[in-house]
């Protein structure tokens, strides 16, 4: 292969590779020293003395299959999102989603224990990067909702989070182990949407979040269910967007005929176009690299033919 050529396994960001190494170290550590699981995984009944497990559990994979899937998804999605957001914002997103999923899983386990008085809710060992993986799918939904996902029967990216949650629920019923992965996935999905919807700073635009209708929480549900869940989710809009709406009503810094910050369809379309363009550039670089490799391999044979002539 020619020097300096880019391939399908190159171009990964430094931050993504660093996080991948962290996942690998956690897997090796718990494989060699199994007792360390008690100090790194989230066990709700022991989280009061070991409070750091709320942070470490999300980076601990305990099966080789889940480790490979997590690292592959991290590298691929990181190559797309990190140049789009920046390294600092990409890391903030991962840390927030991981903490949100772990903290709410702890609260859920304690709640279920007090309701059912079943001790297994308190002493189940929960860990894995799948909460952040769910968050990645929400981010892809925001950036390029209409992009078709390869190898998934032309499924559009906007349905990735919903399909991931549905698959987790079905798997939990079959395996009868819902607490091992479902809370991380559900809270990871919701936490990432919460962050991108209301908290993510956009210095170039001068506001936080994404208030566009295309990214409303109801869009995670099928069309026939959206009228039923919309009144419920409207409560969250009043809680988290109350300040925006108040500013709009008072007419401070905004024209009444101007869209609410983050809700402008033009801005949403521009964001989708940037995301689609970024994906096309990634795929295009891989195609060019493969073409260059093939031409390099065929070069010696063509030179020999010319010498014979």
């Amino acid at each position: 292969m020619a020097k300096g050529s880019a391939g399908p396994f190159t171009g990964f960001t430094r931050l993504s590779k660093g996080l991948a190494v962290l996942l690998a170290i956690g897997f090796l550590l718990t494989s060699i020293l199994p007792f360390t699981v008690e100090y790194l995984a989230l066990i709700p009944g022991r989280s009061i003395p070991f409070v750091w497990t709320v942070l470490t559990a999300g980076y601990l994979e305990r099966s080789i299959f889940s480790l490979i899937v997590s690292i592959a998804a991290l590298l691929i999605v990181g190559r797309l999102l990190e140049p789009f957001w920046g390294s600092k914002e990409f890391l903030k997103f991962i840390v927030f989603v991981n903490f949100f999923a772990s903290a709410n899983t702890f609260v859920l386990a304690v709640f279920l224990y007090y309701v059912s008085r079943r001790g297994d809710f308190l002493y189940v060992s929960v860990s894995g990067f799948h909460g952040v993986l769910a968050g990645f799918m929400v981010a892809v939904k925001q950036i390029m909702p209409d992009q078709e996902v390869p190898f998934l029967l032309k499924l559009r990216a906007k349905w990735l989070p919903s399909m991931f949650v549905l698959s987790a629920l079905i798997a939990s019923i079959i395996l009868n182990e819902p607490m091992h992965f479902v809370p991380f996935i559900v809270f990871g999905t919701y936490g990432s949407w919460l962050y991108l919807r209301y908290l993510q700073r956009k210095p170039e635009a001068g506001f936080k979040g994404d208030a566009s209708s295309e990214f409303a929480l109801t869009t995670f549900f099928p069309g026939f269910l959206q009228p039923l869940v919309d009144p419920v989710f409207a409560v969250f809009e009043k809680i988290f967007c109350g300040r925006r709406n108040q500013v709009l009503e008072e007419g401070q810094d905004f024209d009444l005929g101007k869209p609410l910050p983050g809700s402008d369809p033009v801005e949403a379309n521009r964001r989708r176009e940037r995301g689609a363009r970024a994906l096309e550039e990634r795929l295009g670089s891989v195609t060019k690299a493969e073409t260059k490799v093939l031409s390099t391999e065929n070069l010696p044979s063509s030179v020999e033919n010319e010498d014979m002539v």
Side-chain angles (χ1 to χ4, degrees):
M1 181 179 293
K3 292 183 179 181
S5 61
F9 301 104
T10 61
F12 301 124
T13 65
R14 184 177 301 177
L15 176 59
S16 297
K17 290 187 287 187
L19 291 172
V21 171
L22 179 63
L23 294 177
I25 291 175
F27 172 77
L28 292 175
L29 179 63
T30 54
S31 298
I32 298 173
L33 304 173
F35 70 90
T36 57
V37 172
E38 297 182 3
Y39 301 95
L40 297 176
L42 177 66
I43 304 175
R46 300 175 181 174
S47 294
I48 298 302
F50 305 144
V51 292
W52 60 83
T53 57
V54 178
L55 296 175
T56 59
Y59 305 107
L60 179 63
E61 293 287 5
R62 286 183 282 173
S63 74
I64 187 63
F65 175 75
S66 59
L67 176 67
I68 293 174
V69 171
S70 295
I71 290 180
L74 172 62
L75 294 175
I76 294 172
V77 177
R79 190 166 60 174
L80 173 65
L81 291 181
E82 189 175 343
F84 192 75
W85 286 348
S87 299
K88 183 178 179 180
E89 183 59 35
F90 184 62
L91 180 60
K92 284 173 57 180
F93 176 79
I94 292 176
V95 172
F96 177 88
V97 173
N98 174 59
F99 176 78
F100 186 91
S102 298
N104 282 276
T105 298
F106 168 78
V107 173
L108 176 64
V110 174
F111 172 77
L112 292 176
Y113 166 74
Y114 279 108
V115 170
S116 64
R117 292 298 175 179
R118 289 174 50 186
D120 54 335
F121 285 120
L122 287 183
Y123 295 100
V124 61
S125 179
V126 185
S127 65
F129 200 63
H130 38 275
V132 178
L133 296 185
F136 285 161
M137 295 185 186
V138 176
V140 172
K141 167 186 170 68
Q142 181 198 36
I143 294 175
M144 48 183 69
D146 296 322
Q147 182 70 37
E148 292 183 352
V149 181
F151 312 113
L152 290 179
L153 301 177
K154 295 184 177 181
L155 178 71
R156 295 186 183 273
K158 64 181 179 181
W159 295 116
L160 280 177
S162 306
M163 294 300 296
F164 192 36
V165 172
L166 180 61
S167 301
L169 293 175
I170 294 175
S172 68
I173 295 174
I174 297 175
L175 300 176
N176 196 26
E177 295 180 344
M179 283 298 296
H180 285 277
F181 53 90
V182 172
F184 267 23
I185 292 176
V186 172
F187 289 126
T189 300
Y190 179 68
S192 59
W193 174 84
L194 188 72
Y195 180 84
L196 296 173
R197 181 73 167 177
Y198 303 113
L199 304 177
Q200 187 181 47
R201 290 184 176 275
K202 298 183 177 180
E204 72 283 356
F207 57 82
K208 290 183 180 181
D210 178 5
S212 62
S213 58
E214 292 84 358
F215 196 57
L217 193 57
T218 53
T219 61
F220 288 75
F221 293 82
F224 68 92
L225 289 178
Q226 291 181 8
L228 300 177
V229 298
D230 185 65
V232 178
F233 295 144
V235 176
F236 294 97
E237 292 288 336
K238 293 181 180 180
I239 295 175
F240 293 102
C241 283
R243 185 175 181 182
R244 287 182 179 179
N245 297 336
Q246 182 180 2
V247 170
L248 182 63
E249 292 175 358
E250 294 176 355
Q252 297 179 358
D253 300 331
F254 295 102
D255 185 358
L256 292 178
K258 189 176 181 179
L260 190 64
S263 63
D264 188 356
V266 176
E267 173 63 24
N269 291 333
R270 189 180 299 116
R271 183 176 60 251
R272 287 195 295 270
E273 291 175 0
R274 289 199 303 266
R277 194 181 308 116
L279 180 60
E280 291 175 359
E281 290 176 355
R282 295 287 183 272
L283 296 177
S285 63
V286 172
T287 304
K288 291 179 181 178
E290 292 174 348
T291 304
K292 189 173 183 179
V293 171
L294 291 175
S295 62
T296 304
E297 292 174 350
N298 295 330
L299 183 59
S301 60
S302 62
V303 173
E304 292 177 0
N305 294 333
E306 290 178 359
D307 293 340
M308 293 176 63
V309 173

